[in-house]
Amino acid sequence: MKSSLLYAFGAAALASASLLAMPAQAETVLKWAHVYESSEPYHTCAVAASDKLKEATEGRYSIEVFPASSLGKEVDINEGLGLGTVDIIYTGQLFAGRAYGPIAIGGAPYMFRDYDHWDKFRNSDLFAELAAGYEEATGNHITSLTYYGERHATSNKPLNGPEDMNGLKIRVPNAPLYMMFPKAVGANPTPIAFAEVYLALQQGTVDAQENPLPTIQAKKFYEVQSNINLTGHITDALLTIVGGPAWGSMDEADQQALEGVLDETAECATNEIIKAEKELVQWFRDQGVTVNEVDRTPFREATMKLHMGEDATWDQETYDRLQAIE
């Protein structure tokens, strides 16, 4: 009898200890990977998203952010979405376009008249349809579009017109549509991974590169390039994409919570980039960099001839609908 009571007491104590050791609900940590620096708004806004998501899902989900290509280069993290090795990424529209061509249209050079045109596109039925097409093709879910800034060409000489770019070896991201602008103006586009651009410029492997002002600052490209030429050839943006395995494992309420938090994050980074763009021209000049205001019309006219050319991954109807957005 005594041994039975001792056994029962011991079993109850063990069960109590086990219950105490078990959390009420295991927290799932979503891995968010990107190729940008930890100082940039894309990263700082994403880090702030973790607490928001934890609160919105009552502790079921949080986010860990991996900056600066620490989980792989752009191509790697895009592949990782479907494999489940990453759960959320920022990626360029042209990289997503490898899996579903039409989604790349927003990343083509001189596709937008100005920021306002781009902003109306991201809130349009057209963008929603393109995002749905991407999801159908890949199983991955696009939640948001974040302003990345106007892309400008940097170099060691002024680029005042297309003729100044003839034969120029310019680094571009490794996606075909990034080559449209250099090809239109007679330059030689050279794909190099983002993490390797500074060294390539420093060693003279390439003569030039192109990126928005905040990225030129964050990556310190101005240290190895004497001129920033305000070509504004792409009004660029980053897609926020949740991998199919992660999205599919969430219930509808948690999906909506994640979508809302990622939209807030996109707004946070967009506002920071707009602010930085306004301030950086003078900042670069203060560093001794030559910032050239250029007439964009000849660059634009040369490039628009290629919009429906061999590199177009969209049809005429999609192109016309985008151009008609007002």
Side-chain angles (χ1 to χ4, degrees):
M1 182 73 171
K2 188 177 177 183
S3 61
S4 298
L5 283 168
L6 283 170
Y7 174 79
F9 178 76
L14 191 64
S16 297
S18 299
L19 284 169
L20 286 170
M22 286 175 67
Q25 169 89 39
E27 181 182 286
T28 300
V29 181
L30 300 174
K31 290 183 178 180
W32 187 341
H34 64 81
V35 301
Y36 306 101
E37 296 300 308
S38 56
S39 60
E40 293 185 83
Y42 317 110
H43 182 73
T44 53
C45 290
V47 168
S50 183
D51 286 344
K52 292 177 183 175
L53 183 63
K54 196 182 289 190
E55 184 181 347
T57 60
E58 298 176 335
R60 290 185 291 279
Y61 288 92
S62 65
I63 294 168
E64 185 175 0
V65 190
F66 297 84
S69 306
S70 53
L71 291 187
K73 295 171 184 171
E74 193 110 30
V75 173
D76 305 319
I77 62 175
N78 272 272
E79 289 174 355
L81 279 179
L83 300 172
T85 52
V86 298
D87 302 308
I88 308 170
I89 66 169
Y90 284 126
T91 193
Q93 297 156 103
L94 306 193
F95 283 93
R98 290 173 162 195
Y100 179 66
I103 197 73
I105 191 168
Y110 295 116
M111 188 56 67
F112 297 103
R113 295 181 295 277
D114 50 27
Y115 174 85
D116 186 60
H117 186 195
W118 172 82
D119 191 40
K120 285 174 177 159
F121 164 72
R122 73 164 165 160
N123 294 304
S124 69
D125 290 342
L126 175 60
F127 178 68
E129 288 168 31
L130 293 171
Y134 171 86
E135 184 162 9
E136 193 175 330
T138 64
N140 303 320
H141 181 74
I142 293 171
T143 66
S144 323
L145 199 58
T146 300
Y147 183 56
Y148 187 63
E150 284 192 328
R151 295 180 83 98
H152 306 292
T154 70
S155 57
N156 287 318
K157 65 172 189 176
L159 305 176
N160 293 315
E163 64 282 357
D164 295 324
M165 295 190 71
N166 192 37
L168 193 77
K169 200 170 184 183
I170 182 167
R171 177 269 171 181
V172 292
N174 189 16
L177 276 172
Y178 280 114
M179 301 180 198
M180 185 183 283
F181 172 63
K183 283 197 288 190
V185 294
N188 179 13
T190 307
I192 294 174
F194 198 42
E196 297 158 19
V197 178
Y198 186 97
L199 197 59
L201 292 168
Q202 190 176 47
Q203 295 179 341
T205 309
V206 290
D207 307 311
Q209 69 84 45
E210 49 81 60
N211 261 297
L213 297 179
T215 306
I216 293 166
Q217 182 192 41
K219 287 291 189 179
K220 302 188 187 306
F221 296 147
Y222 64 93
E223 293 181 349
V224 286
Q225 298 267 266
S226 60
N227 283 249
I228 298 172
N229 309 280
L230 301 179
T231 50
H233 52 275
I234 299 178
T235 303
D236 212 356
L238 301 178
L239 294 161
T240 306
I241 309 178
V242 182
W247 187 253
S249 70
M250 302 175 84
D251 66 29
E252 191 177 345
D254 288 338
Q255 285 178 344
Q256 286 181 358
L258 178 60
E259 184 115 32
V261 166
L262 295 182
D263 283 347
E264 277 183 46
T265 305
E267 228 25 66
C268 167
T270 293
N271 292 336
E272 289 288 318
I273 294 301
I274 291 168
K275 182 170 176 284
E277 280 190 315
K278 288 175 180 170
E279 298 167 352
L280 278 172
V281 168
Q282 189 55 50
W283 186 90
F284 283 119
R285 286 178 173 149
D286 292 343
Q287 311 309 306
V289 180
T290 302
V291 182
N292 300 309
E293 306 271 357
V294 304
D295 178 5
R296 298 179 185 180
T297 306
F299 292 106
R300 178 183 291 276
E301 287 175 351
T303 306
M304 287 186 76
K305 293 173 187 173
L306 305 185
H307 276 176
M308 288 308 302
E310 62 181 8
D311 291 330
T313 56
W314 47 85
D315 60 19
Q316 187 72 49
E317 183 197 358
T318 301
Y319 179 74
D320 290 343
R321 284 179 67 192
L322 187 149
Q323 293 302 320
I325 293 171
E326 290 185 352

